[in-house]
Amino acid sequence: MNQDLSIVQLVLHASFIVQLVMLLLLIGSVTSWAAIFRKLRALKGIKAHNEDFERDFWSGTSLNDLYASAAQNAKYGGPMERIFASGMREYQKLRERRIQDPGTLLDGARRAMRASYQRELDAAEVNLSFLASVGSVSPYIGLFGTVWGIMHAFTGLASLQQVTLATVAPGIAEALAATALGLFAAIPAVVAYNRFARDIDRLAIKLETFIEEFSNILQRNLGVHHPTSQSATPTGY
C-alpha cells in the first residue's frame, strides 16, 4: 500500500470529527477486550468453585459441616456454595425460633436460596450489557464517521476543476477507515456476548437444579428427623 494510504496516515489526515469517532471506537474496543478477559477469568473461577463445592456436597459430608465451611469461605466461594449457605442459614434461623412446621422451614430455605440465586446471576451478568452496547452501536458510530468523512472529502473536491481517482481515493479511504474500526470493535464484542450469555444460561440451569436437589434433601430430612432435632445431616444421596 502506498505510504500516503497507510492506516496511520489515513488517521492523521482525517478530519477532526472522523478522528474523534476513531478515538471513541478505539476506546470502546480496548475497554470491551478488557471486559472480555475479566469475564473469561470470572466464569472460569465460578465453574471451578462450583465443581469443587458440588464434589464436597455429594461426598456425604454433613450439611452442618458444609455450612460451617461455606460460612467461613463466603467471600471466596462460588455461587453454588453461597446459595447453599443462604438456604442453610435461613433454615437454621427458623429452627432456632422453634418453628416446627416442615412446609414453613422448607419455604423459608427456598426463598433465601432464590434471593441468593438472583444476586449471583446479577453478579455473573456484569459487563454483558456493555458488550452488547459496543457490539450494536460501534458499526453505526463507524458509519457516521464514514458518512462525515465522505461529505468532508467531496466538499474539499468541489473547488477543483478536474477530479480524478487519485484525488478522490485518499478522502474516501480516510472515511472508510472509520467503518473498518467500527467493525473491529463490534465483532469481538458480539461474539463474546453470545458466548458469555450461553455460559451464564448454563450456570443458571445448574444453580436451579442444585436448589431443587438441596430442597429435596431438606424435605427428606424433615420427614426423617424429629422436629426438635438439631441434626441436619443429608440422607438418601
Side-chain angles (χ1 to χ4, degrees):
M1 182 180 290
N2 189 293
Q3 185 178 2
D4 292 336
L5 294 182
S6 67
I7 297 298
V8 175
Q9 291 298 320
L10 291 177
V11 173
L12 293 177
H13 289 89
S15 64
F16 173 75
I17 297 297
V18 176
Q19 288 179 338
L20 190 62
V21 167
M22 291 180 177
L23 178 62
L24 180 62
L25 291 172
L26 183 61
I27 293 174
S29 178
V30 172
T31 307
S32 66
W33 274 108
I36 289 170
F37 285 121
R38 285 198 304 269
K39 184 60 65 178
L40 281 171
R41 185 169 60 251
L43 291 178
K44 183 179 180 180
I46 287 174
K47 182 179 180 181
H49 283 304
N50 284 348
E51 289 177 350
D52 290 342
F53 175 75
E54 198 169 16
R55 183 170 54 251
D56 294 337
F57 182 82
W58 293 112
S59 66
T61 306
S62 71
L63 294 182
N64 285 332
D65 291 341
L66 284 173
Y67 175 61
S69 176
Q72 294 177 353
N73 199 36
K75 185 176 180 181
Y76 303 103
M80 189 176 293
E81 188 172 10
R82 285 190 288 268
I83 289 174
F84 163 80
S86 297
M88 278 296 295
R89 186 183 303 113
E90 184 65 19
Y91 176 80
Q92 292 189 350
K93 284 181 179 178
L94 293 175
R95 294 289 292 269
E96 291 171 359
R97 293 169 58 184
R98 299 186 182 280
I99 295 176
Q100 300 180 0
D101 179 54
T104 302
L105 292 171
L106 187 59
D107 288 344
R110 285 177 63 87
R111 285 196 299 270
M113 287 190 289
R114 281 289 171 183
S116 180
Y117 163 82
Q118 192 57 56
R119 288 194 298 270
E120 295 298 335
L121 278 192
D122 290 342
E125 291 173 352
V126 170
N127 291 330
L128 275 191
S129 59
F130 172 74
L131 292 177
S133 298
V134 171
S136 60
V137 172
S138 293
Y140 294 103
I141 295 177
L143 182 60
F144 168 76
T146 296
V147 172
W148 186 276
I150 291 176
M151 290 171 56
H152 183 266
F154 278 112
T155 301
L157 296 174
S159 59
L160 298 179
Q161 296 294 329
Q162 184 177 2
V163 178
T164 64
L165 183 61
T167 57
V168 173
I172 301 299
E174 293 168 7
L176 292 176
T179 296
L181 191 55
L183 295 175
F184 178 78
I187 293 174
V190 171
V191 172
Y193 173 83
N194 292 333
R195 159 74 184 278
F196 296 148
R198 184 176 66 252
D199 290 345
I200 292 174
D201 285 342
R202 291 176 178 173
L203 172 65
I205 293 172
K206 194 174 186 67
L207 294 179
E208 286 183 333
T209 302
F210 171 76
I211 291 174
E212 294 302 320
E213 290 173 337
F214 182 42
S215 298
N216 290 337
I217 292 173
L218 288 179
Q219 188 173 20
R220 288 198 298 270
N221 290 337
L222 289 170
V224 171
H225 296 289
H226 191 273
T228 59
S229 173
Q230 297 299 319
S231 174
T233 303
T235 59
Y237 278 23

